[in-house]
Amino acid sequence: MTLGEIVVEIMAAECDQRFDAPGHWLGPYPSGAPAIFIDQVARLGTHCSLIGHVGDDGFGQLNVERLAGHGVDTSSIRTLPDYTTGSAFVAYHETGDRQFIYNIANAACAQITPDSIDADALADCTLFHVTGSSLFSPNLRAAMQKAVDLVAANGGQISFDPNIRPEILTDDDIQGALRRILTQTDILMPSTGEITALTDATTEQAAIHECLDYGVKEIVIKRDADGCSFHSPDRTLTAPGLTIDPVDPTGAGDCFAATYVALRQRGFDVEAALTYANAAGANAALAQGPMEGTTNLDQLTRYIEEHANQRATDTT
């Protein structure tokens, strides 16, 4: 299970398109980091659910129908008639950077509170996933912490993708919220540079050791085109990235994280899970639209076979 924002994404049609001038825009596309994550989990055949809110509008219907159609249990998604579904506008730059304008602070997704968390719905949850982008308000942080506490108390695992976005994570309490969740995390999946932002360390290696000292069991650092690296108390691996010409990188990290944790839950070893996760992230970046590139296990297997030389290897 996971919790957080369900939004639509509207994308600039041209690279380096500006927000402060008229232009052509594409969409709406179903989106929101937790929604992309859970959609990919469902595509892999894993029973899963998302706690969230949408407005009583076409944007909300678009998201719920997509998720349900791919097998996500949508019974914990509430439709709020007095709010609109959140939205995100994204512009891409030649440098590879992205710029966002979010309309979520007053949208349906921002109305999640601790009262939205049903203990019975979480009772059988074996893994709860936290996305840092979903910690954009005090109510959401409290709701997320309640869910994490319930799942951990029931013996479930916690996975955590910091997903730190400056446009959203501006509250003074964000660092404290990130640290609290980090101390309860079993599987940590930061992008390059994020792991030092979570800790007091000044180098990546020191940050890795600090997180392991907190009790994190598996750290997977997403390294974009360079693939990823895996770190545990007794092992380090690297898995090279797949060579692609990306169309839209939005959602690739969420698909990577979803694939890794879903396959680890199903008993895949670390090497296989990393290889499939890299393939899922690469495949997601080949489709225009953040949720358009989610894939099933057979598709990923064929994709991996086409890149058979790009596998995870031990470095220690």
Side-chain angles (χ1 to χ4, degrees):
M1 293 188 73
T2 190
L3 175 156
E5 69 275 13
I6 303 170
V7 304
V8 293
E9 190 156 309
I10 298 154
M11 305 165 55
E14 304 291 337
C15 191
D16 286 329
Q17 190 167 314
R18 294 164 52 186
F19 284 132
D20 60 352
H24 294 287
W25 298 86
L26 306 175
Y29 293 102
S31 190
I36 301 165
F37 171 91
I38 212 68
D39 191 77
Q40 177 60 39
V41 171
R43 293 297 306 274
L44 295 171
T46 299
H47 180 65
C48 58
S49 181
L50 169 63
I51 301 167
H53 295 165
V54 296
D56 187 10
D57 51 37
F59 290 168
Q61 184 178 352
L62 172 70
N63 272 283
V64 174
E65 289 182 355
R66 171 66 63 85
L67 294 169
H70 284 171
V72 176
D73 178 353
T74 58
S75 60
S76 292
I77 299 176
R78 291 179 56 197
T79 298
L80 305 184
D82 295 330
Y83 294 90
T84 57
T85 301
S87 60
F89 289 77
V90 58
Y92 296 88
H93 302 288
E94 286 288 354
T95 59
D97 294 333
R98 294 171 292 168
Q99 186 178 7
F100 292 87
I101 293 179
Y102 291 102
N103 299 303
I104 62 174
N106 298 305
C109 58
Q111 309 314 309
I112 299 171
T113 70
D115 290 339
S116 306
I117 308 303
D118 181 357
D120 291 338
L122 288 163
D124 297 323
C125 178
T126 57
L127 183 139
F128 185 84
H129 181 69
V130 178
T131 290
S133 63
S134 300
L135 303 175
F136 61 84
S137 76
N139 280 341
L140 266 163
R141 291 195 286 275
M144 189 75 77
Q145 191 61 60
K146 179 179 177 180
V148 167
D149 290 343
L150 285 167
V151 173
N154 290 334
Q157 287 189 306
I158 306 301
S159 61
F160 181 27
D161 180 351
N163 202 2
I164 299 172
R165 297 179 185 176
E167 298 93 341
I168 289 180
L169 305 182
T170 57
D171 193 284
D172 290 341
D173 190 45
I174 282 293
Q175 193 68 27
L178 294 170
R179 290 287 185 96
R180 285 191 294 274
I181 291 170
L182 179 61
T183 62
Q184 295 173 281
T185 295
D186 297 286
I187 303 173
L188 177 65
M189 292 176 285
S191 297
T192 300
E194 286 185 335
I195 193 166
T196 50
L198 289 173
T199 66
D200 295 322
T202 56
T203 67
E204 181 181 280
Q205 196 59 41
I208 289 169
H209 286 300
E210 185 174 327
C211 291
L212 293 174
D213 288 342
Y214 279 137
V216 177
K217 298 176 179 63
E218 299 180 9
I219 300 172
V220 180
I221 301 178
K222 295 170 288 182
R223 301 187 183 278
D224 298 322
D226 293 328
C228 62
S229 61
F230 169 89
H231 310 267
S232 70
D234 55 5
R235 193 178 187 192
T236 298
L237 293 89
T238 59
L242 281 66
T243 302
I244 62 168
D245 186 10
V247 174
D248 176 15
T250 303
D254 301 308
C255 289
F256 176 101
T259 301
Y260 181 80
V261 298
L263 296 187
R264 290 292 284 150
Q265 286 277 293
R266 289 173 56 171
F268 281 56
D269 62 28
V270 171
E271 294 92 336
L274 292 174
T275 299
Y276 273 92
N278 270 340
N283 195 74
L286 293 173
Q288 186 162 349
M291 204 184 290
E292 307 309 301
T294 59
T295 42
N296 64 38
L297 197 61
D298 289 341
Q299 290 171 317
L300 289 177
T301 298
R302 290 194 296 271
Y303 195 65
I304 289 167
E305 289 171 352
E306 295 171 1
H307 300 80
N309 62 321
Q310 297 175 313
R311 301 294 180 92
T313 56
D314 273 295
T315 55
T316 61

